[in-house]
Amino acid sequence: MIALSFTEIAEAVGGRLLLGDGDAAPSDVVSGAVETDSREIGPGGVFVARHGETTDGHLFAPSAIERGAALLIVERPLELSVTQIVVDDATVALGLLAAEVVRRVRAAGVLRIVAVTGSNGKTTTKNLLREILSRRAETIAPRESFNNEVGAPLTMLKLTWETEFLVAEMGASGIGEIRRLVGMARPDVGIVLTVGLAHAGEFGGIESTLIAKTEMVADLLPDDTAVLNADDFRVAGMAESTAAKVLWFGRGPQADVRASDVSVDSTGTRFTLHAPGETPRDVHFSVLGEHHVTNALAAAAASLTLGVPLDTIVEALESVTRAERWRMEVLPGLDTVVINDAYNASPDSMAAALKTLAVLAPEAKRTVAVLGEMSELGDLSAEEHDSIGRLVVRLNIGQLIVVGEGAKRIHMAAELEGSWDGESEWYATADEAYDRLESSLRSGDLVLVKSSNSAGLRFLGDRLGELVACKHF
């Protein structure tokens, strides 16, 4: 975090300053990292003691002090020797502090902010933007999927006076959440990727999802740029809800930044990248899955808006070998390959991953789909899991392994479909599925592991990756 005094931080968060023992003074400066996890605290850091989903951060304040915390932001005074700022809501205070840091760094005249949201592809697009923009100047971007009311401000608080680009990933589970994040760091460039069924259960339906995602561009100014997906009719409609300039990306001819001649094989995706006023460039994008072309186009469009040359964009795209840990991550073995894509799953991303598996089928002796639950679908859950089971059959996947009670309808729907040469099996646990796969995998198999994070199949994917790395089948 940029250096701020105790008084400045207290004023920013609207809190009451309680000086610690010793020589502490209101003018003392703090410049260490801000964290909500006491295990991440380092010397001179700020520990924000918030109530999490399962525990109370105040219980870990002593541990934060042992690790060197210089300041605690708390919701009640603690009998500890370190300086504290008492606030009504630590999570709100975290956001207020982030907004103040962004305001000060932006006022220095260098910082540009690009934010991305969408039902699918946020983290991949964020990673691509970081790879592209960091080739030009100091860039701050979230780690993993730090995109909520806690993760987003923690990323913003890593700004320095030298930072020229801030990439903000903005997720939401309800209306108003993206608007709050935009209020902390109003983007110069706002990207909307897709509006789909991911988290539809939490939002209450696709129309509520659309309202929430529109918040990314609703408050942009005329000098800002909304980067919108021309291939998604819901996203395309957001052009009527923003005062910003619109730059379109997509696969169709109507897009400003588009891809043509797209082809997929086991080494990734090849396409020709078109941009206004530029000679088309051929791109070999190593990230597996044709659906990731959309993310590459979004990152390219935003980067062009921020003044990055197209050649730099292409070089950066071609340097990326995976979207993210557990996202279409290829784990090659001695004679069998595992694709671990079990960090997130929605009906759209599940279908895209299965279609990629089917496209790669000619390169494999057999395709195997290991599928778990798609979470947070609410009343749509049964219908969407049924749809995925039918899709497996239509794509003629060779073997279907379904794991967990929440995903059982995928197995049931597949078995009810006729004219399929493959077969489906259901297992209650990942361990049972692993035991079955250990004994049934064949030489040349191509295995996809796909589920929502909560299903835990990413660890099954890792175990299968370790297995195929050392065993001939």
Side-chain angles (χ1 to χ4, degrees):
M1 184 181 70
I2 61 172
L4 295 173
S5 71
F6 289 149
T7 297
E8 288 173 320
I9 296 173
E11 290 176 351
V13 303
R16 177 165 55 99
L17 179 62
L18 303 176
L19 292 175
D21 297 341
D23 299 327
S27 59
D28 287 351
V29 169
V30 180
S31 59
V34 180
E35 303 288 353
T36 59
D37 186 338
S38 63
R39 295 168 296 183
E40 301 290 333
I41 288 289
V46 179
F47 177 59
V48 181
R50 59 182 295 273
H51 288 277
E53 294 180 2
T54 58
T55 190
D56 180 357
H58 295 77
L59 300 175
F60 300 93
S63 176
I65 295 172
E66 290 177 3
R67 292 177 176 272
L71 174 65
L72 307 179
I73 296 179
V74 295
E75 295 177 1
R76 61 179 184 269
L78 301 177
E79 294 183 4
L80 298 170
S81 59
V82 170
T83 296
Q84 303 169 46
I85 295 174
V86 183
V87 297
D88 291 333
D89 187 314
T91 302
V92 171
L94 179 67
L96 291 171
L97 182 57
E100 177 64 12
V101 168
V102 171
R103 184 191 68 78
R104 290 180 181 234
V105 176
R106 190 192 279 276
V110 176
L111 181 65
R112 304 285 301 282
I113 300 173
V114 54
V116 56
T117 195
S119 297
N120 298 291
K122 294 184 295 295
T123 300
T124 299
T125 304
K126 171 263 297 183
N127 288 340
L128 296 177
L129 284 164
R130 175 173 53 201
E131 184 65 32
I132 295 168
L133 298 176
S134 63
R135 292 172 180 246
R136 299 289 291 175
E138 181 178 305
T139 300
I140 298 296
R143 70 187 194 207
E144 300 173 349
S145 293
F146 272 37
N147 60 22
N148 61 9
E149 61 183 356
V150 177
L154 286 176
T155 300
M156 298 171 196
L157 287 164
K158 296 187 184 301
L159 289 172
T160 73
W161 295 112
E162 289 72 41
T163 304
E164 293 192 26
F165 297 115
L166 169 64
V167 180
E169 181 182 344
M170 296 184 178
S173 57
I175 293 172
E177 293 181 15
I178 291 176
R179 174 157 274 154
R180 283 194 292 273
L181 296 177
V182 168
M184 295 178 200
R186 186 189 55 77
D188 301 284
V189 180
I191 304 170
V192 186
L193 298 167
T194 59
V195 175
L197 292 175
H199 312 294
E202 291 185 331
F203 279 107
I206 193 71
E207 293 307 318
S208 294
T209 304
L210 173 60
I211 293 170
K213 300 302 182 185
T214 302
E215 293 171 359
M216 171 61 76
V217 300
D219 294 333
L220 295 182
L221 302 177
D223 289 339
D224 300 328
T225 302
V227 177
L228 300 179
N229 184 354
D231 299 334
D232 185 315
F233 74 93
R234 293 187 178 92
V235 175
M238 293 180 189
E240 300 177 1
S241 300
T242 184
K245 301 183 293 290
V246 174
L247 183 65
W248 299 101
F249 67 92
R251 299 280 293 274
Q254 73 276 24
D256 301 304
V257 178
R258 62 185 179 89
S260 65
D261 302 319
V262 179
S263 62
V264 179
D265 60 28
S266 59
T267 68
T269 309
R270 299 177 188 273
F271 63 93
T272 301
L273 176 61
H274 303 261
E278 297 280 356
T279 302
R281 309 291 207 280
D282 292 331
V283 180
H284 181 203
F285 189 43
S286 295
V287 177
L288 193 63
E290 185 173 339
H291 52 294
H292 284 303
V293 172
T294 296
N295 305 325
L297 293 173
S303 299
L304 286 168
T305 296
L306 294 169
V308 181
L310 188 58
D311 286 339
T312 300
I313 293 170
V314 171
E315 290 171 5
L317 292 177
E318 293 192 326
S319 74
V320 176
T321 58
R322 68 179 185 185
E324 177 68 272
R325 182 84 166 95
W326 299 310
R327 288 176 170 88
M328 295 303 284
E329 183 179 12
V330 179
L331 307 174
L334 297 176
D335 50 18
T336 301
V337 174
V338 174
I339 302 170
N340 194 352
D341 190 26
Y343 191 84
N344 277 318
S346 67
D348 291 335
S349 67
M350 183 76 84
L354 287 167
K355 290 174 183 177
T356 298
L357 183 64
V359 167
L360 297 177
E363 300 185 29
K365 292 183 180 178
R366 182 179 63 155
T367 50
V368 180
V370 183
L371 306 182
E373 182 180 8
M374 301 177 290
S375 62
E376 300 175 355
L377 293 177
D379 294 340
L380 298 171
S381 181
E383 175 186 346
E384 294 302 328
H385 283 89
D386 286 349
S387 178
I388 292 299
R390 293 192 296 270
L391 179 62
V392 169
V393 175
R394 289 199 297 272
L395 293 174
N396 200 30
I397 304 301
Q399 173 74 61
L400 173 62
I401 301 290
V402 180
V403 185
E405 189 66 36
K408 195 171 186 177
R409 291 190 70 112
I410 297 176
H411 163 70
M412 295 167 61
E415 285 208 315
L416 290 172
E417 288 289 297
S419 304
W420 182 36
D421 292 333
E423 59 181 273
S424 178
E425 299 174 14
W426 175 81
Y427 295 94
T429 69
D431 286 341
E432 291 174 320
Y434 177 83
D435 291 341
R436 172 58 174 156
L437 288 160
E438 184 180 27
S439 63
S440 64
L441 287 179
R442 308 171 189 168
S443 175
D445 280 352
L446 179 62
V447 184
L448 169 70
V449 183
K450 179 72 173 172
S451 75
S452 287
N453 192 12
S454 59
L457 294 201
R458 62 195 186 280
F459 303 118
L460 172 61
D462 285 344
R463 291 179 69 192
L464 293 173
E466 293 170 1
L467 176 66
V468 303
C470 61
K471 181 178 178 180
H472 288 285
F473 293 93

